[in-house]
């Protein structure tokens, strides 16, 4: 989750990367603007954790890796460095602090970032040639939306209570209950 700094701070990508190396607060970078990352809720953390465990176990023994929100994603076409909640990539990293070629990106929605994640981040992520699926997961109810790359462009599918969610990019079907396990207990 990110929010603009009270006083907009502008810098180059190189200055941003240098700042991030020593900053105790994470920031996202979009076309010269810096956005401070705020903390998430317990529901946000549980959902992201559930997905991480499912992805990690499924990808065991493959060349693909799942990363959580502490690793940046470089989106060159948008001149951006973002911190997705989860991403799966099979690339050989050029830099240990960010990735550039995810096949799957997941954002867990919060009230303050849902519109930004659905619109602006989605458009930025969809410029990545490697991206096959962009997944948006609601916190307040069982609602998972997946944007999938097709030969004609991007399609969107909605999954709710009782659904089995097909993640084609990593060949994994997940019962929606597993994503939301222990979230509202």
């Amino acid at each position: 989750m990110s929010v603009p700094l009270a006083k907009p701070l502008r810098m180059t990508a190189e200055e941003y990367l240098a700042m991030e190396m020593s900053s105790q607060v994470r920031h996202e970078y979009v076309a010269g603007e810096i956005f401070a990352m705020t903390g998430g809720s317990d529901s946000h953390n549980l959902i992201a954790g559930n997905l991480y465990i499912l992805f990690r176990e499924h990808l065991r023994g493959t060349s693909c890796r799942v990363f959580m929100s502490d690793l940046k994603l470089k989106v060159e076409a948008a001149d951006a460095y973002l911190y997705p909640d989860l991403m799966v990539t099979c690339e050989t990293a050029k830099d240990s602090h960010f990735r550039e070629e995810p096949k799957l990106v997941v954002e867990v929605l919060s009230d303050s970032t849902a519109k930004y994640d659905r619109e602006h981040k989605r458009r930025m992520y969809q410029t990545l040639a490697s991206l096959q699926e962009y997944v948006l997961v609601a916190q307040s109810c069982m609602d998972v939306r997946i944007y999938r790359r097709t030969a004609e462009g991007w399609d969107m599918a909605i999954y709710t209570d009782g659904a089995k969610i097909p993640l084609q990019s990593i060949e994994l079907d997940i019962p929606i209950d597993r994503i939301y396990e222990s979230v509202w207990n």
Side-chain angles (χ1 to χ4, degrees), residues 1-4 38-39 109-117 139:
M1 169 177 339
S2 62
V3 295
T38 62
L109 303 176
S110 68
D111 290 340
S112 62
T113 65
K115 183 174 173 39
Y116 183 70
D117 290 342
Q139 287 186 62

Side-chain angles (χ1 to χ4, degrees), residues 141-145 158-165 176-177 180:
C141 63
M142 289 188 181
D143 185 303
V144 176
R145 296 169 189 233
I158 300 172
Y159 302 90
T160 58
D161 300 34
K164 186 168 255 185
I165 299 166
I176 199 167
D177 295 347
Y180 291 97

